Amino acid sequence: MTMTLSRRLMLEAPNRQPDGAGGFTETWDELGYVWAEIDTIGAGVDGAPEGLGSTLRTRITVRAAPVGSSRRPRPDQRLRDGTRVFEIDAVTEADHALYLWVWAREAVLQ
């Protein structure tokens, strides 16, 4: 399997801080860049709070990293390409563990 990892994506992790009123504020910490290949595998409609929107399902291929490594994406994280954000649902090994498949959703508001 030959991969073309030509997209530079920022891996981000959530940083939740108490807001003093029983809730929290959330910001995203940048963990570093990964090179990736993005494939759209499906689409659907959702009921986003801001209005009707669509969700693109993607499979993002990145180089493998060991479990526990800061370079290995996790389901509570996201990948970002400028204003495009990919919320990670799952991560699996691919091609004899040389690569990882990152299953993600890209929300696009209409």
Side-chain angles (χ1 to χ4, degrees), residues 32-100:
Y33 287 100
V34 296
W35 288 96
E37 177 179 280
I38 301 172
D39 296 305
T40 300
I41 57 172
V45 176
D46 64 15
E50 297 83 14
L52 189 62
S54 63
T55 301
L56 297 177
R57 301 241 174 246
T58 58
R59 183 185 71 193
I60 301 170
T61 306
V62 299
R63 291 199 190 286
V67 173
S69 169
S70 62
R71 295 177 331 189
R72 185 183 177 108
R74 296 189 324 250
D76 64 330
Q77 297 175 335
R78 70 183 190 183
L79 292 163
R80 184 173 45 83
D81 180 12
T83 59
R84 296 176 71 187
V85 175
F86 303 93
E87 298 171 0
I88 299 172
D89 291 324
V91 178
T92 59
E93 294 181 350
D95 196 21
H96 306 288
L98 296 175
Y99 299 97
L100 298 173

Side-chain angles (χ1 to χ4, degrees), residues 14-27:
N15 181 349
R16 294 181 179 99
Q17 298 294 321
D19 66 4
F24 62 88
T25 58
E26 182 176 78
T27 58

